[in-house]
Amino acid sequence: MKITLFTLTAGLVFSCSCAANSKIIATGGTSSIEGSAGGGIVPWAVINGYASSGEMAATAFISRVGVDDFTLNSVGASLAYDNNWEWSVARQRFALDSIGGELSQNIIAVKYRLAGQLLYTALPQISLGVQYKKLHDFTLPQAVGARDDSGLDVYLAASKVLFNQVAGRNLLLNATLRATKANQTGLLGFGSADNNNYRLMFEGSAALLLNYNVAIGVEFKQKPDQLAFADEQHWRDVFVAWFVNKHLSVTAGYVDLGSIAGLNNQQGYYLSVEGAW
Amino acid sequence: MRWLTVLVLTLITACSQTPTPSLYQQLGGDAGISAITDGLLYEIEHDNRIVHHFADTDIERFRRLLAEQLCEISGGPCTYTGGSMAESHTGFNITLADYDALVGHLIKVMQQQHISISAQNQLLALLAPMYKDISYR
Ligand code: HEM
């Protein structure tokens, strides 16, 4: 996985002189914890990086969520073409700080823009995405009742920038519908002993662009609650994203992950750094 | 007597409406729009991604029409005398990347002119929807 990431990134950085990066700053969003472009926890319809039509771009990110009893470290990279296609890989390591141990999964994802342009059409930009997730070690998820060690999430996202909305600032709205079997986004496996159905979940984000480089926002992620051993709750966060330039962005946030594996009130910070070429 | 009524009415309307300057004024009026237009022309001239579209363009005319149009849509005292956006851009196959490039330049120029973020966004709100008439024709 590390080698894949390295080769992908290095290959892109050195081979791609086509990186014209014409898109407007911030319109690529940032890399979510699953590697798909979006906010921090919600995939948006935007395509990662700054490749406009006919152009190619790459991004790499590293992020950390630190809540009371857990730490989620994510690292990943993506490739984008034509402002239509986004391919991404991510690796998540979820440390069970107070319980002991670690869960980890790999995520390979693709996103395709179906219609609309974030900035220029009345119709929101609409994209379809698929994320394939695979756990490294199924022992713990299996022990708490998960059915599978891998799963496929399919989502439909709509994103739109509305100009001059709040105090003359532009507002980005995003709504995502996700079909998933994942428990705690897959870290606790997929499905349960008595349920192997897809659930339809709503995820939403709103971000206000204070200027071209700084956005503040909120996110909500509905989650299924399938495992009998413990409650799973919806996630929320508030964030500030700083698009330093078209090559670097830094996002910081405050997250509320609710109850995880019987430990309630998991709140803490989110930090993410993304590089784009 | 009639003059007095007009005067009183004018005063009342002038006082009851909070005097929000028009977008035209916020962009700096005639001088501001001239500066934006010149700034844009400079950026286009130095951008290899898009300058080729203008190879056969009468730049003087383009400059005048662009300024007229910015003046008109922002509520200034001008009448745009050029062709429709669809007509004027047909045959150029202007792509999303071309559009992004031009909008990027416009933003850069407006930033250089110290135009308020709100006025910038008001202008972008007027120009963004022209995409459907301008692109891929
Ligand atoms: C942001 C939205 C745009 C506006 C408001 C705009 C405005 C105008 C105006 C007023 C004219 C003159 C029309 C006439 O000749 O009667 C014009 C012509 C032209 N525009 Fe645009 N334009 C826009 C986007 C673009 C883009 C993105 C490109 C390509 C990068 C482009 C390329 C041209 C060219 C090449 C001409 C000259 C056509 C000729 O020589 O006959 N425009 N545009």
Side-chain angles (χ1 to χ4, degrees):
Chain A
M1 183 70 186
K2 268 188 193 130
I3 298 202
T4 324
L5 269 181
F6 179 77
T7 334
L8 185 74
T9 320
L12 284 167
V13 171
F14 297 117
S15 71
C16 191
S17 54
C18 46
N21 279 336
S22 295
K23 278 166 68 175
I24 306 300
I25 192 156
T27 58
T30 70
S31 297
S32 67
I33 52 172
E34 292 165 320
S36 305
I41 58 174
V42 177
W44 296 350
V46 304
I47 303 294
N48 226 339
Y50 291 102
S52 190
S53 58
E55 300 172 355
M56 192 164 254
T59 63
F61 81 98
I62 180 159
S63 75
R64 172 177 287 198
V65 177
V67 292
D68 300 71
D69 298 293
F70 306 94
T71 308
L72 175 66
N73 288 300
S74 307
V75 49
S78 83
L79 188 61
Y81 175 64
D82 207 24
N83 198 36
N84 278 334
W85 288 99
E86 172 188 298
W87 299 272
S88 62
V89 291
R91 164 93 183 254
Q92 296 183 334
R93 283 176 28 241
F94 188 66
L96 316 173
D97 300 328
S98 54
I99 303 172
E102 180 183 283
L103 296 164
S104 73
Q105 67 175 347
N106 286 344
I107 303 168
I108 298 176
V110 57
K111 186 195 293 185
Y112 178 68
R113 187 186 66 84
L114 295 173
Q117 288 294 351
L118 183 71
L119 298 176
Y120 305 134
T121 57
L123 183 76
Q125 179 159 330
I126 298 172
S127 298
L128 183 70
V130 176
Q131 299 174 331
Y132 173 76
K133 304 178 172 184
K134 175 107 169 59
L135 280 165
H136 277 231
D137 184 348
F138 191 45
T139 320
L140 181 63
Q142 190 168 33
V144 299
R147 175 185 289 258
D148 286 314
D149 70 344
S150 69
L152 207 60
D153 280 9
V154 181
Y155 65 88
L156 192 67
S159 307
K160 178 81 192 115
V161 166
L162 301 166
F163 293 100
N164 187 32
Q165 294 297 305
V166 182
R169 302 315 200 270
N170 301 338
L171 184 65
L172 181 145
L173 295 179
N174 179 84
T176 301
L177 266 183
R178 181 196 298 256
T180 184
K181 294 182 183 179
N183 307 313
Q184 296 293 6
T185 77
L187 290 162
L188 283 178
F190 303 82
S192 66
D194 52 354
N195 189 346
N196 193 30
N197 294 327
Y198 270 101
R199 300 287 183 85
L200 210 54
M201 294 289 134
F202 172 81
E203 303 177 14
S205 315
L208 192 65
L209 290 124
L210 298 183
N211 58 36
Y212 294 103
N213 303 91
V214 178
I216 52 172
V218 293
E219 293 189 287
F220 170 80
K221 178 183 173 72
Q222 187 188 19
K223 310 223 331 304
D225 180 15
Q226 311 179 102
L227 295 179
F229 91 105
D231 272 351
E232 174 168 352
Q233 294 178 334
H234 310 321
W235 285 2
R236 324 152 210 265
D237 70 65
V238 294
F239 66 85
V240 183
W242 178 28
F243 299 87
V244 181
N245 51 42
K246 286 192 188 174
H247 299 294
L248 178 68
S249 71
V250 182
T251 310
Y254 183 77
V255 300
D256 179 354
L257 307 186
S259 184
I260 297 180
L263 297 169
N264 292 333
N265 265 321
Q266 296 300 317
Q267 298 175 356
Y269 67 89
Y270 168 68
L271 257 184
S272 173
V273 179
E274 184 195 274
W277 299 273
Chain B
M1 188 58 197
R2 189 179 286 166
W3 284 109
L4 194 65
T5 325
V6 172
L7 183 69
V8 170
L9 279 178
T10 317
L11 284 175
I12 290 174
T13 27
C15 295
S16 59
Q17 284 171 355
T18 29
T20 28
S22 70
L23 176 56
Y24 174 73
Q25 287 167 310
Q26 294 178 57
L27 295 173
D30 187 37
I33 285 178
S34 274
I36 294 174
T37 312
D38 289 339
L40 259 182
L41 284 177
Y42 176 88
E43 294 298 331
I44 292 172
E45 200 186 320
H46 293 86
D47 185 344
N48 286 328
R49 292 171 300 178
I50 58 173
V51 69
H52 62 94
H53 286 303
F54 298 86
D56 298 326
T57 298
D58 173 348
I59 297 297
E60 262 318 299
R61 180 172 179 277
F62 173 65
R63 192 200 167 283
R64 176 172 51 82
L65 290 174
L66 186 59
E68 261 179 28
Q69 196 199 33
L70 292 178
C71 171
E72 189 188 76
I73 61 172
S74 66
C78 314
T79 312
Y80 174 61
T81 58
S84 76
M85 286 299 98
E87 282 164 17
S88 316
H89 296 90
T90 298
F92 291 95
N93 190 29
I94 288 161
T95 64
L96 174 68
D98 293 335
Y99 211 85
D100 277 337
L102 196 75
V103 170
H105 292 319
L106 177 66
I107 290 171
K108 179 177 171 191
V109 170
M110 290 192 295
Q111 290 281 76
Q112 284 167 351
Q113 312 282 329
H114 301 291
I115 288 164
S116 74
I117 191 89
S118 147
Q120 292 188 31
N121 291 338
Q122 289 170 59
L123 186 60
L124 292 176
L126 295 169
L127 296 179
M130 295 180 180
Y131 175 78
K132 68 172 190 314
D133 293 328
I134 291 176
S135 62
Y136 299 103
R137 287 175 180 272

